[in-house]
Amino acid sequence: SHTKKWSAEETEFFYKCLKECGTDFSMIESRFEGKRNRTQIKNKFRKEESENSSRIEETLYGPKYNSSPMKKRESKEELKNLDDM
């Protein structure tokens, strides 16, 4: 059967989940609380990957120069580890 078109809101939510869960489609599915199943989510990922590959990459891997707190903390840890050497 034909899948209901993804709304802009659903698409934004999809990207939010992707950022938090990575490509764990089962985990993303549980966040959609029955509104979308794993197959629909996986198909959505494939579609977005072909049509918006740069957004998918940025969502999964962050911008090239990512300054999120997590990344900053990791680099601080790395520097600390260097100091211990």
Side-chain angles (χ1 to χ4, degrees), residues 14-77:
F14 164 80
Y15 274 104
K16 184 177 185 290
C17 293
L18 197 62
K19 197 174 187 69
E20 293 167 11
C21 308
T23 53
D24 185 338
F25 301 119
S26 301
M27 194 189 286
I28 295 173
E29 178 188 16
S30 68
R31 298 210 172 172
F32 272 90
E33 295 173 343
K35 293 180 190 77
R36 295 283 177 182
N37 64 36
R38 191 178 183 283
T39 305
Q40 290 170 325
I41 291 161
K42 198 167 182 176
N43 288 340
K44 174 68 170 170
F45 178 77
R46 290 216 178 99
K47 182 177 191 285
E48 291 295 319
E49 205 176 26
S50 69
E51 294 175 10
N52 294 310
S53 59
S54 59
R55 182 168 184 192
I56 287 283
E57 278 178 29
E58 189 163 308
T59 301
L60 289 176
Y61 312 113
K64 286 208 162 44
Y65 305 103
N66 193 345
S67 61
S68 74
M70 185 69 197
K71 285 275 189 294
K72 270 204 184 86
R73 211 185 73 233
E74 282 171 3
S75 52
K76 276 209 185 88
E77 289 293 332

